[in-house]
Amino acid sequence: MTDQNKNKTNTLFSVRPLFQWLAVFALMLSAGLIAYQNGLLTLLGYEATTINANLPATTPSIASLASNAPDPVKISIAQETSNLALPKRNIELTTEKALAAKAAIKRNDFSTAAQITGDVLAHSKLLNWRFYPFNDFMRYFFNETDYGYLEYLDKWVAQEPKSALAHLLRAQWYYSIGQGIRGYDFSSKVADTHLQTYEDYLQNSDKDILAAIHLNAENPYSYFMYLNSISRMGDSPETEQAFQLGINKFPTYYALYRARLKSLTPKWGGSPQAMYAFTSKYADKAKEHSPLKMLYLQLYNYMVDAASIACSSDKERDKCVGEVMAKLIKPRMADDINTALELYNKTDPYQFALEINSILLSLAETSGADHFSGSILQLASDRMGSQLQLVDNNSGHNNYLLDQVAAKSWEDINHYENAEKKYQEALLDIKNTRFPNEEEQFIALADIYLNFASMYFDNAKYAKAIVYQNAAIAMGGGRFDKSLSCGSYFNLKYYTDAIQACSARIESGADMHAYWWRAASYMSSNQADAALTDFKKVADSESSYRESAVINLSAIYAQKQDYPQMLSVFKSHPFLLDEEQTTDHNQLMIGFNNRCYAYMQLGELQKALDDCTSSLKYGNLPDAFQKQQTLVKMLKEKNTH
């Protein structure tokens, strides 16, 4: 392999850092170039030194961890954690109460689960834009990977069929697991079997929610959850019926209005006209200080999102979004936005900041909407007396949430030093913020530390990512564990630590990212069977990691020389080689190349040739070209005999 080809290989995977060297390993292993023996990469028929310089060492850290010698990386992590001087937290967080209730359910202690849940519900109130803290409690109760709870919830409902909480929690389980199975992509890109399972689960969720409402009509969250579930039907009579059911009981519950407005967006079968009519009907007629005035700003957010989706295939997306928005925005929208922003001085400033922060973050994450998100951010900053510039003469007295939005804006354009500075300002501004209770202050700190961790992780500063991820967990509990520690330990090649961190994350309710990183760590520490189990779980999901999981499954079976099973991986996960479902050409290139190798080993030469040819259509892999030429010769020789 020439230096030029090595550089090409590295470049191919730089656009998707999640693969890291594993993707290179998968490609080369499946190409038949390398074998994995005793924890070392060995080239078949080549000098090992021609590739080792471009791949990290495989397992030196495991030996280091097993010894009693001081580990400089871990010493650095401990020292930097100490330097943060984190405040002591002596209170139990709402999300920790949810974990305690989950643990009680799993040991069939339903009375304790009901007591914890009921106590949180009894102390919750409708506060402008939220039902606090019960919404937070329920939102983080079950995760998309909490598969093992249904049998316990069924038992609880069977024992106490008149328990509204038992029905509500089972409904939440069906909703969370169903959503995880479906994923968050457009339905056209989701497997039909997953869509059907999702629908079945949510129908079960609907039945339980209605039972919970029948047994206790005084819980606002039940109505919100029912509307959220029914909204999968988009702008439909059923969605409107669920909305009316909720607002007839709780006419000031803002979350119901926001959810219904979302269901009126074009991607859910609605239209800009319907969105305007809804907002006018409920926001125009609301009292001057009503939280419903925030619908004006939420409308703007959804309009920008609709424009971005309409321009998704346009090469000049920013320009296209501007042109679409020019057609969508009515002359009065500027006045309406100002009316929404005036709520800062007419309602609870803290709650206002929380709500507008979610809108600003949504705008900031909308592709092609930089101009529109920046304009609203500046308007909000002016109204709230906060400054956004880096040279700040108001430091310590700005709004910490706006600091974070500004930091994310810098982060999005790769100005990480500026982002770091704004995050530091956010920490300073928290000290001068009046929080309604101690828990919300800890949550605010945790959120900033998690932003730091994400930024450092994205910039391959993995030790720092561990420091700030751990700080986020210390302040905010498991809610702020985003698998960054296990991913960071993996990238630092501390595979034992990575497995432990990922397992802890999975135990507390992780998404598929933790399974992927744990599988990668198992694979890198020669635990192929354990890696297969986790990679299969990810490959069978709708996670954005599923393509890389399929590729790594094929690599492991190639390592085992189990070529029929290697081929079955592609048969059972056809999305990888479907151009409509896998738009990343690197994934298609590797997938076809790997299957080419499997067919070649099984003697199906024409199929192998077809796949190598397809691989080259999506990228120029020298090995695919070499196999293609070899296969042409083999087929020619076969046909001449």
Side-chain angles (χ1 to χ4, degrees), residues 137-156:
F137 179 85
M138 291 298 293
R139 184 166 35 146
Y140 296 100
F141 201 98
F142 288 119
N143 193 279
E144 64 185 50
T145 59
D146 284 326
Y147 302 109
Y149 281 87
L150 183 58
E151 63 175 296
Y152 304 104
L153 293 165
D154 283 345
K155 188 182 296 185
W156 186 3

Side-chain angles (χ1 to χ4, degrees), residues 114-134:
Q115 181 182 357
I116 295 171
T117 306
D119 183 67
V120 174
L121 177 60
H123 289 87
S124 297
K125 296 178 180 179
L126 280 176
L127 302 169
N128 289 321
W129 293 279
R130 56 185 184 154
F131 179 49
Y132 180 82
F134 196 74

Side-chain angles (χ1 to χ4, degrees), residues 631-641:
L631 286 162
V632 168
K633 291 180 182 178
M634 292 173 70
L635 281 166
K636 185 176 181 180
E637 291 174 0
K638 180 180 178 181
N639 292 331
T640 57
H641 288 86

